[in-house]
Amino acid sequence: MEPIVKSYPWLKRKRAYYIWLKTAGAIIAKLGHLQVEGRENIPEEGPVLVVSNHRSFVDPPLVAYAVMKRPVFFMAKEELFKTPILSTLIKHWGNGFPVKRGSSDLKALKTALAVLRKGELLAIFPEGTRAPTGKFLKPKIGAGMIAVKANVPVIPCLITGSEDLLPKGAKFLKPANVKIKFGEPFKLNLEDKKENYIKAANIMMDKIKELKD
């Protein structure tokens, strides 16, 4: 974990994470009337990769609040770190680290693997961007690469309703009905090669889709 802590020293400050989570995170969850199902599928300790569909900018804090029992680390698009206030929130609240979208970001990949090697929980959104209501986008190969290289338990996660809590283009939160459902963990056990990155990404998206009621 030392490389990530050296680059992002705030990741040692778990107290700040939980302060944000139980204040701002609680407000978001309350406005969203958040319902959580399957939290028992998340282990108390050990490396685990949570893979979720993506509907809204508030998905990361919602997932973190839904997990609650342990800190959640996230990748966040690099552009968000260019705004001082938002960057601070992501760092302290979301245990976030930047990733360059649309390119092979080796630094982000190494950071993600370092988080998992340390035995932490990493959450990623394989679609890479927000999908329209009721739709799923094609997963990015990078998500599959992380899963294959890490070879840790994977937990699928389905989010519904978060797009109503903070619709695209909206500046303020609106009351909504958000549900987060965690599925049972599974292992990919795939050989580390490019064709399996795509296969892994597709398997993970299929597992997420299977959580639909």
Side-chain angles (χ1 to χ4, degrees), residues 152-199:
V152 300
V154 180
I155 295 178
C157 171
L158 178 69
I159 301 175
T160 55
S162 63
E163 66 274 27
D164 298 324
L165 181 58
L166 185 65
K168 280 190 176 183
K171 295 182 179 180
F172 301 101
L173 298 174
K174 302 178 180 180
N177 291 296
V178 182
K179 182 178 180 180
I180 290 181
K181 183 176 182 180
F182 297 105
E184 295 183 358
F186 65 95
K187 289 288 290 287
L188 289 165
N189 295 319
L190 295 172
E191 185 180 350
D192 189 357
K193 54 185 180 180
K194 187 173 181 179
E195 53 262 45
N196 282 339
Y197 302 159
I198 299 171
K199 181 178 180 179

Side-chain angles (χ1 to χ4, degrees), residues 6-203:
K6 185 176 180 180
S7 299
Y8 312 108
W10 60 80
L11 296 183
K12 285 185 176 180
R13 299 200 287 270
K14 300 293 177 63
R15 184 179 179 184
Y17 171 87
Y18 279 110
I19 288 174
W20 279 111
L21 190 63
K22 294 181 179 181
T23 53
I27 292 172
I28 292 174
K30 187 173 182 178
L31 277 172
H33 298 94
L34 179 63
Q35 297 180 46
V36 182
E37 183 179 336
R39 185 183 280 126
E40 68 277 4
N41 290 323
I42 299 172
E44 298 282 347
E45 58 184 19
V48 61
L49 180 65
V50 171
V51 294
S52 175
N53 64 314
H54 199 8
R55 292 281 188 262
S56 169
F57 280 139
V58 292
D59 288 343
L62 285 169
V63 170
Y65 194 85
V67 170
M68 186 57 75
K69 66 176 73 176
R70 57 187 293 187
V72 181
F73 290 75
F74 288 95
M75 281 184 172
K77 62 180 182 179
E78 186 181 44
E79 294 85 349
L80 297 178
F81 288 82
K82 296 179 181 179
T83 304
I85 295 178
L86 185 57
S87 177
T88 299
L89 287 174
I90 294 171
K91 294 171 184 176
H92 290 287
W93 175 13
N95 278 349
F97 56 93
V99 58
K100 296 178 182 178
R101 298 192 302 177
S103 64
S104 298
D105 191 339
L106 294 180
K107 183 178 180 181
L109 173 62
K110 289 179 180 179
T111 302
L113 294 176
V115 167
L116 293 169
R117 281 197 297 269
K118 182 62 178 177
E120 302 287 356
L121 186 156
L122 174 68
I124 61 175
F125 301 97
E127 293 164 298
T129 190
R130 294 166 293 166
T133 300
K135 304 292 184 179
F136 295 93
L137 302 179
K138 184 177 180 181
K140 303 296 184 182
I141 189 173
M145 183 185 299
I146 291 171
V148 170
K149 286 184 174 293
N151 193 31
V152 300
V154 180
I155 295 178
C157 171
L158 178 69
I159 301 175
T160 55
S162 63
E163 66 274 27
D164 298 324
L165 181 58
L166 185 65
K168 280 190 176 183
K171 295 182 179 180
F172 301 101
L173 298 174
K174 302 178 180 180
N177 291 296
V178 182
K179 182 178 180 180
I180 290 181
K181 183 176 182 180
F182 297 105
E184 295 183 358
F186 65 95
K187 289 288 290 287
L188 289 165
N189 295 319
L190 295 172
E191 185 180 350
D192 189 357
K193 54 185 180 180
K194 187 173 181 179
E195 53 262 45
N196 282 339
Y197 302 159
I198 299 171
K199 181 178 180 179
N202 287 328
I203 290 174

